[in-house]
Amino acid sequence: MEKITLSMILLISILTSCNSVDNSINVTVDDNLDLDLVKVEYGFYSGNEESDKKLVDNGLDKTIFENGNPKSFNTICGENDFLVTYADKYYVKVRHFIPNDFDDGIPDGHKYNFEIIDNQNTPLLKLEIEGTDGEIITKEFAEIKNAANNKQGR
């Protein structure tokens, strides 16, 4: 019984150590694109799926930007996925990995700057993440109608 109790305490400590502080989100689009057509969802999506169809059909856990309105959200240690759609025609999924520092286990807040660029035929996403685990990710959108044939947007 003592081993089970100790194991449960350890497990709960690990899980609660990966809570986070609020993040902020900023979304901009090129002049000839419409900000109200952008939707950003946050959650986790396994890369083990056969295609992106389930991703675009079901989306992710939480909508954090829609109709020009940002919402607060928390990230976790590990994999943080974002699904960005434009005009219900294009989509892109990006992942921000936050390592656990094992000091306090709570990731610092980040500022997520999503910029959607008109790239002639297909929009391009430039995501600049500011913070301790910041990075810049640039990725081309894929067409939603092709999601059954795509895996990770390819």
Side-chain angles (χ1 to χ4, degrees), residues 5 24 70 75 90 96 116 119 151:
T5 303
S24 63
T75 49
Y90 299 102
H96 179 214
I116 300 174
N119 191 29
K151 185 170 182 175

Side-chain angles (χ1 to χ4, degrees), residues 33 86 90 116-125 139-142:
L33 299 176
Y86 182 76
Y90 299 102
I116 300 174
I117 302 162
D118 184 9
N119 191 29
Q120 296 177 351
N121 298 328
T122 315
L124 184 72
L125 174 70
K139 198 167 180 183
E140 194 170 279
F141 281 74

Side-chain angles (χ1 to χ4, degrees), residues 10-117:
L10 180 61
L11 179 62
I12 291 170
S13 296
I14 290 170
L15 291 175
T16 58
S17 71
C18 283
N19 288 330
S20 172
V21 295
D22 279 343
N23 298 288
S24 63
I25 181 172
N26 182 46
V27 179
T28 58
V29 297
D30 277 355
D31 288 339
N32 56 334
L33 299 176
D34 187 345
L35 185 63
D36 288 337
L37 298 178
V38 177
K39 182 177 181 181
V40 181
E41 297 174 69
Y42 166 77
F44 170 77
Y45 183 73
S46 172
N48 294 328
E49 297 291 332
E50 289 184 24
S51 75
D52 292 343
K53 179 121 176 76
K54 185 176 173 184
L55 171 65
V56 298
D57 286 349
N58 300 331
L60 295 176
D61 297 333
K62 182 176 183 180
T63 300
I64 60 172
F65 186 88
E66 188 171 30
N67 299 319
N69 298 311
K71 296 181 178 141
S72 66
F73 66 101
N74 295 322
T75 49
I76 59 169
C77 299
E79 300 163 342
N80 297 273
D81 292 331
F82 297 90
L83 172 64
V84 183
T85 56
Y86 182 76
D88 293 326
K89 182 176 180 182
Y90 299 102
Y91 76 98
V92 64
K93 186 200 93 149
V94 292
R95 175 169 285 167
H96 179 214
F97 183 82
I98 300 175
N100 188 338
D101 66 8
F102 295 104
D103 184 21
D104 66 6
I106 300 172
D108 293 332
H110 291 85
K111 182 175 182 182
Y112 292 86
N113 298 300
F114 291 83
E115 180 183 5
I116 300 174
I117 302 162

